[in-house]
Amino acid sequence: MTELEPVIAYRGISKHFAGVRALEEVDFACAAGAIHGILGENGAGKSTLIKIMAGVLQPDSGEIRMAGRPVRFPAPRDATAAGIVCMFQELSLVPDLSVADNISIDRPPRRFGLIDRRAQAARAEALLARVRCEDVDPHALVRELSLSRRQMVEIAKALGRDPKVLILDEATSALTARDVATVYDLLAGLKAEGAAILFISHRMHEVDALCDTLSVFRNGRHIETFAKGERSEREIVHLMIGRDVEAQFPPKPPPGSLSAAARPAPLLRVRGLRWGNKLRGVDIEVHRGEIVGLGGLDGQGQKELLLALFGVLRDVDGEVEIGGRHGLPASPAAARSAATRLALVPEDRKTEGLMLGMSVADNLLAASYAQVSRGPFIEPARARHAIEAGVAKLRIKVGALTDAVTTLSGGNQQKVVIAKWLAIDPDVILLNDPTRGIDVGTKQEIYRLMRDLAGSGKAILFYSSDYAELIGCCDRVSVLYDGRVVSEQSGDTVTEESLIAASLNIGPGAASIPAPGLPAMGR
């Protein structure tokens, strides 16, 4: 491997939080004109590594050198001024400001001492064009955008700071395939211009496609750095988790045990569900003990289906039966009530799943106050038992339950979201891409949990943009195209090829359930 000049280097960096080791004597360097992959489980120290580099945290000991000189970054603005730009996994955009305001939030163009709105909008347009988001209005409020578009705005904002060191923490986890391709092109261009790029991702195919060099962290320590191709994927996973990787997905029950004619009525039955132009007559059902996947390209109505079932959307038409009760829940509160017992793990844990300013304990109880209260008062013993049960069941790594939930790693935050909903003992569980931005070890825990929940009689409807998850986790997969279910697959018929074909509404994968009114493509 050709030695490139380090742009930034750590020497003996350590950081502890309330006695918990986040980083321990870390030596690390990244070079100009290269993409450096950072790998490790959630809690391995990756976030602490980049937060110190970005000036968000200060190390307890050790030295940082940039271009060969010792540096300190007392605040994020100091790191930004030195050319270090970080895109954290949790977006930094302000929802109630416009796209243009967010892109230039720290350096707005000025005229006569005031913000030059016209110049700011023009700058935003240019940066949005650079990330191929010409469809985004610079004057639109960020909260009006989809999660994938917000992520691209964040990337445009980062590019506007002319980074010498660009840090991407799960920057592609919420993106469409088209946007991922755009990010690949942008990173290749920045690399050619001599920027150093740190790329954190749990998607191994992205790491393999992009990175020149890989570094593995585990339990706060830098384990090894090596050139891409020097280690197999299995060896890399072993370095990350410190043990041989288990079978990724737990075994499924025999198909006959789920499809017997004598099985009871489904816990969830949907017929002709419609909402605007997003849902155009969805038929689907999920039986007790079953995991049913929602496949298809992103934006075909999968997320709207989950939101409609949970009582979030208005003016939804169609027939729905949940646990023998007819009709959609009127609101999320009605959905989670003892009468319906429906849970939704949302797409974005930061904005939809957690109360970031509150403690781990408060978040764990957020959905189940009715279960731990007598009248208007919370019973401390019940609350404590519910919290401890959630932590144990999900194996949540937490310092103190009174700590803010933001102190947890991304994977443990996601476990809190799931545990919060399991506390109501739901019969039907809706999962919206629950493993987004989660490390391989935590993914395996969530896969096992899903199978255990199904084994205990729960009905699970599971959306994932990852074909491997749909194939490995689900008993059946319903593929959506243009707001309709165009294919239902089960058993050995569920393959990557059949899912892709059905997602495009072509080929035999899309033939089992025709989509009325859709033009036949390639048949």
Side-chain angles (χ1 to χ4, degrees):
M1 180 173 64
T2 303
E3 288 293 328
L4 300 174
E5 179 186 353
V7 174
I8 190 166
Y10 283 12
R11 296 291 181 265
I13 293 290
S14 294
K15 182 68 179 179
H16 296 76
F17 298 99
V20 177
R21 179 183 68 194
L23 290 178
E24 188 71 34
E25 293 291 324
V26 167
D27 293 337
F28 172 80
C30 60
I35 302 178
H36 197 131
I38 309 296
L39 302 173
E41 292 189 275
N42 288 111
K46 306 185 304 295
S47 293
T48 304
L49 176 87
I50 63 175
K51 285 179 180 178
I52 289 175
M53 199 174 293
V56 176
L57 296 174
Q58 300 302 309
D60 297 332
S61 59
E63 182 184 59
I64 304 174
R65 300 180 74 86
M66 195 166 183
R69 297 181 178 181
V71 293
R72 283 188 68 250
F73 302 130
R77 64 176 176 272
D78 301 302
T80 302
I84 299 173
V85 177
C86 185
M87 274 190 57
F88 293 109
Q89 185 175 351
E90 308 298 352
L91 302 185
S92 66
L93 303 177
V94 182
D96 290 317
L97 291 181
S98 72
V99 170
D101 286 334
N102 272 280
I103 287 177
S104 297
I105 195 165
D106 57 342
R107 293 187 299 175
R110 295 184 179 275
R111 182 179 174 84
F112 305 124
L114 302 175
I115 294 176
D116 187 337
R117 295 293 180 184
R118 181 176 297 179
Q120 181 173 268
R123 180 172 186 264
E125 284 182 358
L127 287 167
L128 290 169
R130 189 176 176 188
V131 298
R132 300 174 193 168
C133 287
E134 293 90 345
D135 58 311
V136 175
D137 182 357
H139 303 290
L141 298 181
V142 163
R143 60 178 166 81
E144 297 171 349
L145 304 180
S146 67
L147 181 59
S148 62
R149 276 296 177 255
R150 278 180 265 161
Q151 189 99 42
M152 293 304 286
V153 170
E154 185 87 60
I155 293 172
K157 174 183 170 182
L159 294 179
R161 293 174 170 176
D162 299 321
K164 295 178 182 176
V165 179
L166 178 62
I167 305 167
L168 302 172
D169 185 3
E170 295 294 343
T172 62
S173 60
L175 298 183
T176 64
R178 176 190 169 193
D179 288 339
V180 170
T182 297
V183 172
Y184 281 20
D185 290 343
L186 290 169
L187 295 184
L190 289 171
K191 172 184 168 181
E193 293 169 7
I197 300 166
L198 294 182
F199 187 77
I200 299 174
S201 177
H202 295 304
R203 299 182 176 189
M204 294 301 296
H205 66 277
E206 292 185 347
V207 171
D208 185 61
L210 285 172
C211 297
D212 306 297
T213 305
L214 305 176
S215 290
V216 174
F217 284 74
R218 186 177 72 239
N219 295 330
R221 293 186 180 276
H222 177 201
I223 302 301
E224 187 175 329
T225 291
F226 47 91
K228 180 179 70 175
E230 287 184 357
R231 292 282 195 174
S232 69
E233 186 171 315
R234 187 177 186 88
E235 289 173 327
I236 291 171
V237 172
H238 179 80
L239 290 172
M240 288 168 58
I241 65 178
R243 62 183 186 277
D244 288 330
V245 65
E246 304 171 22
Q248 187 171 11
F249 301 104
K252 304 177 188 178
S257 65
L258 295 173
S259 59
R263 67 182 176 181
L267 277 179
L268 173 66
R269 188 200 303 269
V270 177
R271 290 289 180 268
L273 200 70
R274 295 179 177 275
W275 184 70
N277 63 355
K278 291 293 187 179
L279 302 174
R280 299 173 180 265
V282 173
D283 295 344
I284 204 163
E285 57 184 45
V286 189
H287 290 80
R288 191 179 295 278
E290 200 174 30
I291 301 175
V292 173
L294 293 176
L297 301 176
D298 192 47
Q300 301 303 307
Q302 303 95 330
K303 298 169 186 178
E304 288 79 7
L305 172 60
L306 299 180
L307 293 174
L309 294 174
F310 199 61
V312 175
L313 306 181
R314 295 291 173 264
D315 301 320
V316 179
D317 294 324
E319 299 178 13
V320 176
E321 185 179 332
I322 303 173
R325 294 172 59 89
H326 291 273
L328 280 167
S331 66
R336 73 169 187 257
S337 68
T340 306
R341 292 171 68 187
L342 186 69
L344 169 64
V345 175
E347 176 184 30
D348 187 348
R349 59 179 170 265
K350 178 181 178 183
T351 60
E352 300 170 342
L354 297 170
M355 298 177 291
L356 297 178
M358 301 184 73
S359 69
V360 175
D362 288 335
N363 275 276
L364 286 168
L365 291 176
S368 57
Y369 282 116
Q371 284 80 4
V372 299
S373 300
R374 186 183 297 275
F377 302 106
I378 294 175
E379 292 195 353
R382 281 188 186 181
R384 185 169 58 254
H385 179 267
I387 292 167
E388 292 173 351
V391 170
K393 188 176 187 68
L394 274 295
R395 303 178 187 176
I396 302 171
K397 296 178 182 177
V398 57
L401 291 168
T402 54
D403 290 343
V405 74
T406 51
T407 63
L408 302 185
S409 68
N412 283 296
Q413 288 181 20
Q414 185 72 334
K415 287 182 178 183
V416 170
V417 176
I418 296 172
K420 172 184 75 175
W421 287 111
L422 294 186
I424 70 171
D425 191 23
D427 285 327
V428 179
I429 304 170
L430 312 175
L431 300 175
N432 190 347
D433 221 358
T435 64
R436 182 176 69 86
I438 301 300
D439 66 86
V440 62
T442 306
K443 281 184 180 181
Q444 288 186 341
E445 291 182 52
I446 292 176
Y447 299 151
R448 284 194 294 270
L449 176 65
M450 289 168 59
R451 186 49 64 187
D452 289 345
L453 290 168
S456 69
K458 310 298 185 186
I460 299 176
L461 188 59
F462 168 52
Y463 170 62
S464 174
S465 55
D466 187 331
Y467 291 127
E469 288 190 340
L470 295 175
I471 295 166
C473 291
C474 300
D475 303 299
R476 289 187 291 116
V477 179
S478 293
V479 180
L480 274 72
Y481 177 86
D482 196 27
R484 296 179 175 92
V485 175
V486 296
S487 175
E488 184 175 288
Q489 305 177 20
S490 61
D492 294 337
T493 67
V494 186
T495 66
E496 187 168 351
E497 292 78 7
S498 68
L499 290 176
I500 291 173
S503 297
L504 298 172
N505 199 32
I506 60 176
S512 57
I513 300 180
L518 281 176
M521 297 177 58
R523 296 186 185 174

